[in-house]
Amino acid sequence: MEKESKKPVTAIIVGAGHRSMIYGGYSLKHPDELKIVGVAEPDEIARNICKEKFNIPDNMCFGSAEELAEHDRLADAVINGTMDKYHVPTSVPLLKKGYDMLLEKPFACSETELELLENTVKKYRNKVMICHVLRYSVFYKKIHDIISSGKIGSIISINTIEDVSYHHYVTSYVRGKWRNSDECGTSMLLAKCCHDIDLMTWMTGVDVKPLSVSSYGSNIYYNRNNAPENSGERCMVDCPLNKTCPLSCEIIYLEIPFKWDWYVWQDMMDAPQEEKLNYLKYKSPYGRCAFKCDNNVVDHQSLIVNFSTGALGIHTLNTNTAYSKRIIRIIGTKGQIEGEFENQRIKLSVIDPTKESDHLEENFDLSDVASAFKNHGGGDVLLVSDFVKYIRGEEVSSSCTSLEDSLSGHRVIFAADKSMKLGGAAVNII
């Protein structure tokens, strides 16, 4: 007799944004593993797009997470892709209903929210996995495997750098949704670098705890003091520099469309060009001068973490760079690892005094493997695959980002932002 196949994990998308739609898309290629059966989304356009994409019946379409929570549990799990400040408020009522959850990062915007989520999950025994997707990329997974093999010995220091390109920073953190921490609920470090800090705490090992953090940072460039002379308030309305300024909304979003269509034209993807132009010109937040917005998040920040083993973790966030890049360098007692995420190349150097060069070198080029995937170096697909296994109670990979495994990274960030406000004073991590 053939073994009975397992039923797919059923899930409801809460917040039909860019990320949750990508994760939900896994179900279209793997219907035997995941099935999207519902959506809870306040925006009617986004809700209908999700409904059509996953063929969701009318009675499983809800106007909000709160409306969904009024019903008994209707699926195995929830894919929560709401905006950062809504993660905990939308998650807790659904966790109390018994849903397991795939929760987008950052999973909490404060220590208070972190504790509320942690205590809720402990009480109701939910399975919650956090979307720290870079753990699943072939690049960072390889580095983690090398560390686990013991080839570089015990970790002495981890240095990570994230460069955020000028057009990415201006789109998301000057003009866009994450520009103002009072509105979005997250700091720049939490919104953009929680991947990097999570990787740092993951690489050091589950038994190694961060003890304290010191951090400096500020916004020194994107403010009115640095606005070009004679610049206007809106690029296409009153600015004589519109055709030449590299930050011009017309250049970035109309003439040279990078990868920001989803953010800038989310509700107007199929609108006529003239309609888009008028919207960008007069109404869109993306049409404002980049130096005259209401942004209050940092444009650079550095932090140093003291771990329980004596190892140090150092992270530097740079913005306004020519292009985006992530770099990692790990020094151990027996060797070191260096790598750049964008080119998918890793160099392993192991100390060997018998060699003329004093070390053995091994190079890994993962670009061919990573190019087979579209997003995050293969991380998106592998994360959802692991989530299905996690919910089913099957063996998961070493990259598994359960809530418990993700707490340290967020605590480091909360302490770092507190330290920055205190002028760099060390802040202990509880």
Side-chain angles (χ1 to χ4, degrees):
M1 178 181 288
E2 293 186 4
K3 187 176 180 180
E4 184 180 353
S5 61
K6 292 187 177 181
K7 294 181 179 180
V9 171
T10 56
I12 297 171
I13 288 178
V14 175
H18 185 53
R19 298 304 304 159
S20 55
M21 292 291 278
I22 287 177
Y23 295 135
Y26 183 89
S27 66
L28 302 178
K29 293 185 177 180
H30 304 276
D32 58 323
E33 297 182 35
L34 180 67
K35 181 178 176 61
I36 304 301
V37 298
V39 58
E41 165 59 56
D43 185 273
E44 184 178 4
I45 294 175
R47 186 169 64 246
N48 287 334
I49 290 173
C50 185
K51 173 187 174 182
E52 292 178 10
K53 181 172 183 176
F54 300 108
N55 195 27
I56 300 171
D58 290 339
N59 67 331
M60 290 295 287
C61 296
F62 304 92
S64 65
E66 293 75 15
E67 183 182 342
L68 172 61
E70 292 175 359
H71 300 263
D72 292 333
R73 193 176 67 150
L74 300 172
D76 300 317
V78 160
I79 298 175
N80 191 335
T82 56
M83 279 293 291
D84 301 342
K85 66 180 180 180
Y86 299 120
H87 285 169
V88 171
T90 56
S91 293
V92 169
L94 295 172
L95 292 169
K96 290 180 178 180
K97 287 292 184 177
Y99 288 99
D100 293 324
M101 188 172 293
L102 181 62
L103 180 57
E104 185 56 275
K105 62 82 189 170
F107 61 81
C109 294
S110 66
E111 291 175 279
T112 300
E113 284 195 343
L114 182 148
E115 291 172 1
L116 173 60
L117 187 66
E118 182 184 14
N119 291 335
T120 301
V121 170
K122 285 181 179 178
K123 180 176 180 179
Y124 293 91
R125 300 180 180 180
N126 314 86
K127 293 180 178 180
V128 176
M129 203 165 123
I130 307 303
C131 297
H132 283 306
V133 66
L134 288 187
R135 284 198 194 188
Y136 287 88
S137 69
V138 293
F139 177 83
Y140 288 111
K141 180 67 167 61
K142 182 65 176 179
I143 292 176
H144 189 267
D145 289 345
I146 294 172
I147 294 171
S148 299
S149 74
K151 289 183 178 180
I152 66 167
S154 301
I155 292 176
I156 296 174
S157 68
I158 295 182
N159 288 259
T160 57
I161 298 173
E162 180 169 14
D163 291 343
V164 183
S165 71
Y166 71 95
H167 56 83
H168 186 171
Y169 184 71
V170 165
T171 298
S172 297
Y173 304 98
V174 176
R175 292 170 170 148
K177 296 179 180 179
W178 294 274
R179 71 190 184 279
N180 190 301
S181 58
D182 296 329
E183 291 188 16
C184 70
T186 54
S187 67
M188 177 68 183
L189 189 66
L190 182 62
K192 190 70 185 75
C193 298
C194 63
H195 278 313
D196 306 271
I197 307 304
D198 174 71
L199 290 168
M200 183 186 291
T201 58
W202 182 47
M203 298 291 183
T204 53
V206 293
D207 296 325
V208 180
K209 303 299 180 185
L211 300 180
S212 61
V213 184
S214 184
S215 179
Y216 292 91
S218 63
N219 175 23
I220 62 174
Y221 186 54
Y222 286 101
N223 54 62
R224 287 182 177 268
N225 292 333
N226 294 308
E229 188 176 356
N230 298 323
S231 59
E233 295 291 325
R234 297 190 68 86
C235 297
M236 300 170 66
V237 175
D238 59 356
C239 186
L241 309 175
N242 182 50
K243 297 294 184 181
T244 57
C245 176
L247 306 178
S248 162
C249 69
E250 185 173 1
I251 293 175
I252 296 180
Y253 309 128
L254 290 176
E255 296 179 6
I256 309 177
F258 287 96
K259 299 178 181 178
W260 310 117
D261 283 1
W262 178 267
Y263 293 91
V264 179
W265 309 114
Q266 185 171 359
D267 298 332
M268 303 179 65
M269 293 292 284
D270 299 322
Q273 188 72 0
E274 184 177 352
E275 187 176 336
K276 283 185 175 182
L277 190 148
N278 286 332
Y279 173 67
L280 188 61
K281 188 175 182 179
Y282 297 111
K283 296 181 180 180
S284 172
Y286 297 98
R288 296 177 294 176
C289 173
F291 295 96
K292 299 177 180 179
C293 296
D294 59 340
N295 54 304
N296 68 358
V297 297
V298 301
D299 57 20
H300 69 294
Q301 187 172 354
S302 292
L303 60 118
I304 183 167
V305 186
N306 180 32
F307 287 95
S308 56
T309 58
L312 297 179
I314 303 168
H315 178 68
T316 300
L317 162 68
N318 304 305
T319 69
N320 205 47
T321 57
Y323 50 88
S324 294
K325 181 167 63 175
R326 275 187 165 99
I327 299 172
I328 188 167
R329 189 167 185 259
I330 305 172
I331 308 299
T333 54
K334 297 180 181 179
Q336 64 195 60
I337 301 169
E338 299 166 84
E340 182 179 325
F341 179 68
E342 276 61 35
N343 65 23
Q344 295 291 308
R345 289 183 173 86
I346 300 167
K347 182 170 74 173
L348 167 65
S349 304
V350 178
I351 295 171
D352 188 343
T354 68
K355 303 299 180 182
E356 185 177 350
S357 63
D358 295 320
H359 71 278
L360 285 172
E361 185 174 305
E362 191 172 358
N363 292 282
F364 305 90
D365 185 348
L366 305 173
S367 56
D368 287 343
V369 178
S371 65
F373 302 96
K374 287 186 177 181
N375 298 300
H376 291 108
D380 289 347
V381 173
L382 298 175
L383 182 145
V384 183
S385 175
D386 224 19
F387 176 65
V388 171
K389 294 174 184 176
Y390 184 50
I391 300 303
R392 286 176 165 176
E394 300 172 357
E395 184 177 356
V396 296
S397 74
S398 60
S399 301
C400 186
T401 56
S402 69
L403 175 63
E404 184 179 2
D405 293 335
S406 303
L407 295 172
S408 288
H410 272 47
R411 287 191 169 116
V412 166
I413 290 172
F414 295 142
D417 283 336
K418 187 181 296 184
S419 169
M420 183 177 66
K421 292 177 181 178
L422 294 173
V427 172
N428 292 329
I429 299 173
I430 299 175

